């Protein structure tokens, strides 16, 4: 149950003084969702987007011209419009000992003006001060106050995002009312952290956000914003820590091998493992040997060698007599994994099988049987592996490859299958550290920071598509020297059909030049044709593979050393990096040609520049984040994504890291959040509506 102390915050906005049904309706549009209207808490976290400086100038001559000016003056004269000129404005002169200002009112309510600005009265005047024909004037002052009310004029007036039907003054008033309605809450922050950070209590901080002390306070960083941002980050990290604990709790079997199969595989490899691979495997094996469920993210740039890490982990499970699955995002990739891993698995005496939606009939039945009776050690496939009707004798480990599009939510689903399997997610798209903490805060992380030795840098060039013929010539020379070439055609308006047509057309024109050295691969080909096209390229029978972005993820043909990307300006940075990662995987020098059609917009230009400058996936990810923003970096805005109100995880990286550590420690020490601080943290979870966490706590 939500602590009743929070009730005023979760009440409808109509509970605030001066919010009637009409205003409430307008606010619902701005802050409500399908299930509920605007609540006080929504206003509380509706922070100012700017501020107006209303600090008074000592005299009229000191008041800034052209900006908002505030000063006190005496009313000296009323100048009604001349008779017959009804549309001319009503003017009122005010002055102090240094100068005068004409206040100008159009369509004036004269009676009201006579009442509020009687001659001889002193007033505080605030509004935009201008020069008009050499005279100071102010059209429709924003504020006219009796000096006795001076305190009612804030030095800095917050400016809020508005919605139709709620003007700036109303919004400011009701936001202040929401801040007023906020109760004082027990402290949920770690006392030592609080003392170090100099943060004020929550109530004081959130109120300060609505009553900024100076302009810097609304425009930039303030300690009050950081405090509330930290609160939000802590809520989300506590939620992730609870999810993580829940997933671990549902496991409970240690999987420990004796190293014999791993040893056999290692000695069959044509290379030795990198330090990074060794370390990642040490992390993974340590996790698997614990009687808790593993939840680990293996983060490694394209070409860093994640596949062999997966194989070794699966071998460890097999040593313990248990099964594993490796799930790939596409058919092609699943097939390729199976083909590449099968010989190594065989050398170690492991039985590996492929299962995708395309395995049908007796073949499929045999695989299902082998999985059920435990004959098959390793299953490689697509999401078909997790469909109903697929049962395992003893599944120990599930590895999900190249799934950066997997959110927290999907992982919850994977875990809720009820199987106490260890989970390893391998992501190829490097995710900036700050984001990996928000998105994968429930997981442990291993990073393959370096690529295997002996790789040569990829030379990347941006070339105008007007030079198409030169590019074809260069491709021809590369092919003559024995290279293999990917030729990537872009998405055309996100349409599969047009997409395919473009690839087909390029295939036809290249075929005129290079004959049957050219192959074609696209998403609408029947599965068997796709396999055949890929196999012909892998075998070197075709030397140029024209494709749509189906090769984006994971495919590994080390001999391919040239890539041409058409309309590179249409691709996002992460996608370009993924594509380019298909080359530079062997020992030969590689070249990537980014063909663009000008003129380029600034963002497209920036992307191509970054691609030319660096191959560092982490840097590219950071730049991508800068150019695009958080949601897009991880693919579509996904369910389970934290919805930030105050915090900006990409900026508040230091706070995020601290919140993560704090959350983990807290949950470790007080798993049910029953201590005094734990109870306060519960109300924090309610305050920021981390529903997953609340459900888990209720479930106990
Ligand atoms: P990714 O991390 O992108 O999935 P892969 O696992 O496909 O990368 O590996 C890329 C290439 O590097 C493969 O051809 C693989 O055989 C090779 N490779 C992996 N580990 C090593 C290593 N330690 N030394 C040399 N080559 C390696
Ligand atoms: Mg891979």
């Amino acid at each position: 149950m939500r602590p009743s102390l929070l009730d005023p915050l979760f009440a409808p906005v109509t509970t605030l003084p001066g919010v009637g049904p009409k205003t409430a309706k307008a606010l619902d549009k701005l802050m409500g969702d399908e299930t509920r209207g605007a609540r006080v808490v929504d206003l509380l976290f509706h922070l100012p987007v700017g501020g107006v400086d209303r600090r008074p100038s000592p005299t009229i001559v000191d008041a800034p011209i052209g900006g908002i000016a505030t000063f006190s003056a005496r009313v000296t004269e009323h100048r009604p419009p001349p008779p017959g000129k009804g549309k001319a404005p009503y003017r009122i002169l005010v002055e102090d000992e240094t100068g005068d200002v004409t206040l100008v009112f159009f369509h004036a309510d004269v009676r009201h003006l006579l009442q509020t600005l009687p001659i001889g009265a002193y007033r505080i005047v605030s509004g935009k001060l201008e020069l008009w024909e050499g005279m100071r004037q102010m059209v429709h002052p924003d504020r006219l106050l009796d000096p006795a009310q001076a305190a009612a004029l804030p030095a800095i007036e917050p400016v809020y995002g508005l919605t139709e039907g709620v003007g700036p003054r109303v919004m400011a008033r009701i936001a202040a009312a929401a801040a007023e309605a906020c109760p004082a809450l027990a402290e949920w922050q770690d006392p030592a952290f609080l003392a170090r950070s100099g943060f004020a209590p929550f109530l004081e901080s959130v109120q300060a956000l609505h009553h900024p002390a100076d302009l810097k306070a609304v425009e930039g960083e303030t300690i009050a914003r950081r405090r509330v941002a930290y609160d939000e980050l802590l809520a989300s990290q506590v939620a992730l820590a609870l999810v993580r604990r829940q997933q671990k709790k549902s496991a409970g079997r240690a999987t420990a091998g004796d190293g014999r199969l791993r040893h056999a595989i290692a000695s069959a490899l044509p290379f030795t493992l990198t330090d990074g691979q060794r370390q990642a495997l040490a992390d993974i094996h340590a996790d698997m040997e614990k009687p808790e469920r593993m939840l680990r993210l293996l983060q490694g740039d394209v070409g860093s060698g994640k596949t062999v890490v997966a194989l070794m982990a699966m071998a460890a499970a097999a040593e313990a007599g248990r099964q594993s699955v490796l799930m790939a995002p596409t058919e092609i990739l699943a097939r390729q994994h199976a083909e590449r891993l099968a010989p190594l698995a065989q050398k170690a005496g492991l039985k590996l099988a492929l299962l995708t939606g395309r395995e049908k009939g007796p073949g499929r039945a045999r695989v299902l049987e082998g999985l059920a009776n435990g004959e098959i050690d390793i299953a490689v496939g697509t999401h078909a592996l997790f469909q109903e009707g697929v049962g395992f004798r003893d599944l120990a480990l599930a590895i999900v490859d190249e799934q950066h599009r997997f959110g927290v939510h999907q992982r919850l689903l994977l875990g809720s299958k009820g199987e106490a399997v260890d989970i390893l997610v391998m992501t190829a798209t490097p995710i900036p550290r700050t984001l990996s903490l928000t998105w994968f805060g429930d997981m442990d992380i291993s990073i393959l920071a370096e690529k295997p030795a002996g790789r040569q840098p990829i030379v990347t060039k941006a070339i105008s598509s007007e030079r198409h013929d030169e590019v074809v010539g260069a491709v021809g020379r590369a092919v003559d020297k024995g290279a293999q070439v990917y030729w990537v055609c872009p998405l055309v308006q996100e349409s599969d059909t047009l997409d395919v047509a473009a690839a087909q057309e390029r295939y036809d024109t290249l075929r005129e030049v290079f004959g049957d050295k050219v192959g074609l691969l696209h998403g609408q080909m029947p599965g068997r044709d796709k396999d055949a096209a890929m196999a012909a390229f892998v075998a070197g029978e075709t030397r140029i593979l024209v494709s749509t972005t189906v090769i984006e993820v994971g495919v590994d043909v080390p001999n391919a050393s040239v890539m041409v990307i058409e309309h590179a300006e249409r691709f996002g940075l992460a996608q370009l990096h993924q594509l380019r990662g298909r080359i530079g995987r062997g020992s030969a020098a590689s070249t990537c040609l980014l063909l663009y059609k000008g003129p380029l917009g600034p963002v497209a230009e920036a992307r191509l520049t970054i691609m030319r400058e660096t191959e560092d996936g982490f840097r590219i990810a950071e730049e991508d984040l800068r150019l695009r923003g958080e949601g897009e970096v991880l693919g579509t805005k996904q369910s389970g994504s934290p919805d930030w109100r105050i915090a900006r995880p990409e900026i508040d990286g230091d706070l995020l890291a601290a919140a993560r550590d704090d959350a983990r420690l807290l949950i470790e020490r007080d798993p049910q959040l029953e201590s005094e601080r734990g109870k306060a943290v519960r109300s924090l979870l309610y305050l920021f509506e981390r529903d997953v966490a609340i459900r888990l706590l209720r479930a106990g």
Side-chain angles (χ1 to χ4, degrees):
M1 278 282 282
R2 182 168 58 218
S4 57
L5 195 57
L6 291 175
D7 288 350
L9 288 179
F10 287 87
V13 285
T14 46
T15 55
L16 292 173
V19 181
K22 251 171 85 186
T23 307
K25 218 169 157 194
L27 291 174
D28 286 351
K29 268 209 191 129
L30 184 67
M31 303 166 174
D33 63 23
E34 314 86 57
T35 58
R36 52 158 185 79
R39 304 154 306 173
V40 176
V41 68
D42 301 314
L43 275 169
L44 184 71
F45 291 138
H46 187 61
L47 299 189
V49 292
V52 177
D53 187 347
R54 295 211 187 269
R55 283 172 298 178
S57 303
T59 67
I60 285 177
V61 285
D62 298 314
I65 290 179
I68 299 290
T70 305
F71 50 85
S72 53
R74 197 167 57 92
V75 180
T76 54
E77 193 181 340
H78 278 227
R79 290 183 192 155
K85 289 203 157 189
K87 285 204 175 130
Y90 193 100
R91 294 187 162 86
I92 294 176
L93 209 70
V94 300
E95 61 177 51
D96 70 2
E97 63 287 356
T98 66
D100 57 27
V101 177
T102 309
L103 309 182
V104 181
F105 300 88
F106 292 92
H107 312 292
D109 174 350
V110 177
R111 259 189 39 207
H112 180 70
L113 288 179
L114 288 170
Q115 251 174 33
T116 49
L117 294 166
I119 289 179
Y122 283 88
R123 288 290 177 266
I124 296 171
V125 179
S126 184
K128 182 152 192 231
L129 188 63
E130 298 160 311
L131 273 189
W132 198 73
E133 294 186 341
M135 312 278 285
R136 287 188 191 83
Q137 76 163 28
M138 185 180 288
V139 178
H140 291 183
D142 302 334
R143 297 283 191 281
L144 288 166
L145 299 168
D146 199 285
Q149 301 169 298
L153 191 68
I156 304 295
E157 190 176 81
V159 173
Y160 292 89
L162 300 176
T163 183
E164 207 181 312
V166 186
R169 293 193 56 182
V170 173
M171 187 64 94
R173 190 168 50 71
I174 60 182
E180 203 56 43
C182 185
L185 299 165
E187 186 55 74
W188 44 69
Q189 298 295 0
D190 174 57
F193 173 75
L194 265 192
R196 265 204 318 279
S197 59
F199 286 163
F202 173 75
L203 179 60
E204 202 175 299
S205 302
V206 81
Q207 289 183 337
L209 291 174
H210 291 284
H211 300 291
D214 52 38
L215 268 188
K216 275 214 305 268
V218 277
E219 281 159 8
E221 265 320 84
T222 59
I223 195 155
R225 192 199 72 80
R226 280 173 67 80
R227 149 90 217 206
V228 184
Y230 192 85
D231 292 330
E232 185 174 30
L233 292 166
L234 181 66
S236 109
Q237 293 301 315
V238 167
L240 283 170
L242 288 170
V243 164
R244 168 193 164 83
R245 188 191 60 192
Q246 157 72 17
Q247 294 200 337
K248 288 196 163 172
K249 216 164 57 178
S250 64
R253 279 185 68 187
T255 303
D258 54 12
R260 122 194 88 87
L261 297 173
R262 279 170 279 175
H263 188 76
I265 291 171
S267 51
L269 284 174
F271 48 73
T272 53
L273 296 178
T274 64
D275 290 345
Q277 286 168 325
R278 263 183 239 284
Q279 183 55 51
L281 279 167
D283 294 344
I284 291 166
H285 294 139
D287 284 355
M288 288 173 68
E289 283 169 17
K290 280 189 218 151
E292 285 174 350
R293 162 179 268 178
M294 168 168 77
L295 276 172
R296 187 168 285 279
L297 176 72
L298 176 61
Q299 201 179 317
D301 204 356
V302 285
S304 60
K306 294 183 291 294
T307 317
V308 69
V309 173
L311 179 64
M312 296 295 247
M314 295 193 291
E319 286 164 16
R322 309 186 63 195
Q323 296 167 291
S324 328
V325 297
L326 171 59
M327 186 167 93
T330 64
E331 282 267 351
I332 287 192
L333 202 56
R335 269 163 213 288
Q336 181 183 296
H337 273 324
E339 276 158 28
R340 299 185 75 85
L341 296 183
L344 287 168
Q346 204 178 12
K347 283 207 177 108
L350 283 167
K351 185 132 191 317
L352 181 147
L354 176 70
L355 187 70
T356 73
R358 265 176 52 214
E359 269 63 49
K360 299 231 162 71
R364 183 186 183 81
R366 265 200 304 283
V367 172
L368 290 184
E369 200 188 314
L371 292 175
N373 67 21
E375 215 172 85
I376 295 170
D377 302 297
I378 295 174
V380 177
T382 55
H383 57 272
L385 283 169
F386 285 98
Q387 271 162 9
E388 272 180 60
V390 182
F392 296 85
R393 189 178 68 82
D394 187 6
L395 185 64
L397 172 66
I399 303 180
V400 185
D401 188 20
E402 316 275 5
Q403 280 291 17
H404 63 283
R405 291 176 187 91
F406 248 44
V408 173
H409 190 68
Q410 280 94 333
R411 282 203 306 283
L412 278 176
L413 287 181
L414 200 71
S416 71
K417 282 217 149 248
E419 316 206 46
V421 293
D422 286 332
I423 295 178
L424 178 68
V425 175
M426 305 201 293
T427 168
T429 303
I431 296 163
R433 186 180 140 68
T434 52
L435 284 188
S436 69
L437 285 177
T438 19
W439 286 82
F440 298 104
D442 60 327
M443 306 192 92
D444 300 300
I445 301 180
S446 297
I447 295 180
L448 298 182
E450 275 163 42
K451 298 199 178 160
R455 301 274 171 84
Q456 294 198 36
I458 301 173
V459 176
T460 300
K461 294 178 189 162
I463 299 175
S464 163
S465 57
E466 283 162 23
R467 292 168 58 195
H468 180 88
D469 292 347
E470 287 173 50
V471 171
V472 173
V475 162
R477 287 192 296 279
V479 168
D480 287 343
K481 284 190 200 142
Q484 284 183 279
V485 181
Y486 289 109
W487 190 298
V488 183
C489 298
L491 288 173
V492 182
Q493 296 166 347
E494 305 282 325
S495 147
D496 260 4
T497 324
L498 290 176
D499 196 10
V500 166
Q504 181 75 48
E505 191 187 319
R506 181 58 64 228
Y507 171 70
D508 292 341
T509 59
L510 289 176
R511 217 155 153 108
E512 278 168 27
V513 184
F514 300 110
D516 54 14
K517 282 184 188 147
V518 188
L520 175 65
L521 180 67
H522 64 65
Q524 289 190 356
M525 282 161 55
R528 286 187 190 292
D529 296 359
K530 273 194 237 170
D531 293 350
M534 202 64 225
F537 190 61
V538 170
E541 288 156 23
T542 50
R543 314 298 298 181
I544 302 169
L545 184 64
V546 177
S547 79
T548 53
T549 51
V550 292
I551 58 149
E552 179 186 346
V553 208
V555 172
D556 183 42
V557 181
N559 191 46
S561 59
V562 178
M563 174 169 285
V564 178
I565 303 178
E566 286 198 60
H567 282 295
E569 78 280 0
R570 292 188 191 161
F571 291 98
L573 205 43
Q575 206 178 10
L576 287 173
H577 179 63
Q578 280 293 308
L579 283 168
R580 184 175 59 181
R582 301 305 115 215
I583 58 172
R585 298 166 84 86
S587 51
S590 295
T591 309
C592 178
L593 303 177
L594 303 172
L595 297 194
Y596 65 86
K597 190 154 182 330
L600 290 177
V603 173
E605 171 130 32
R607 283 195 211 119
L608 297 187
T609 305
I610 293 158
M611 286 297 291
R612 285 206 315 266
E613 278 175 8
T614 185
E615 265 187 72
D616 176 348
F618 285 88
R619 174 155 172 232
I620 287 175
E622 300 283 354
E623 297 284 353
D624 201 22
L625 181 65
R626 201 172 53 75
L627 292 174
R628 296 202 304 172
E630 173 184 359
E632 284 176 79
V633 171
L634 291 136
T636 51
K637 279 259 174 208
Q638 35 194 323
S639 52
S641 79
D643 178 13
W644 301 107
R645 286 168 174 258
I646 316 291
R648 289 164 292 176
E650 71 278 17
I651 297 171
D652 299 320
D654 56 330
L655 293 182
L656 180 55
R660 182 188 195 224
D661 295 344
D662 192 12
R664 288 189 160 195
L665 210 67
L666 177 77
I667 295 302
E668 219 169 86
R669 290 188 185 154
D670 182 12
Q672 289 306 319
L673 297 181
E674 282 160 340
S675 66
E676 205 168 316
R677 183 177 176 217
K679 284 193 194 119
V681 170
R682 276 177 183 249
S683 55
L684 174 70
L685 293 172
Y686 278 104
L687 182 64
F688 283 101
E689 300 174 78
R690 300 293 157 177
D691 296 342
V692 180
I694 290 163
R695 248 184 289 128
L696 287 176
L697 280 174
R698 257 198 237 123

